[in-house]
Amino acid sequence: MDARRVKQILSSPADIEVKYNGTPVWIDKLNEDGRTATVHLRGPLEERTMVEIGELTEG
């Protein structure tokens, strides 16, 4: 995934499924470096993790 698509997903009102290593995640924000994003797992756990946006996939 690229920074442009991450921004589109963040601004979209739709629930767009994003996965990190096959696990569904919510994108919280695109970090200032433009190469990483802060995400958390879908579900009850709110643990946030910084990941490379190139490792995020849609669907």
Side-chain angles (χ1 to χ4, degrees), residues 22-36:
T23 302
V25 295
W26 288 108
I27 302 173
D28 295 313
K29 68 176 184 173
L30 178 65
N31 296 322
E32 289 182 17
D33 62 14
R35 295 180 297 111
T36 60

Side-chain angles (χ1 to χ4, degrees), residues 30-50:
L30 178 65
N31 296 322
E32 289 182 17
D33 62 14
R35 295 180 297 111
T36 60
T38 302
V39 302
H40 69 273
L41 295 176
R42 287 179 177 245
L45 298 176
E46 291 283 331
E47 184 178 335
R48 285 171 168 64
T49 306
M50 190 164 42

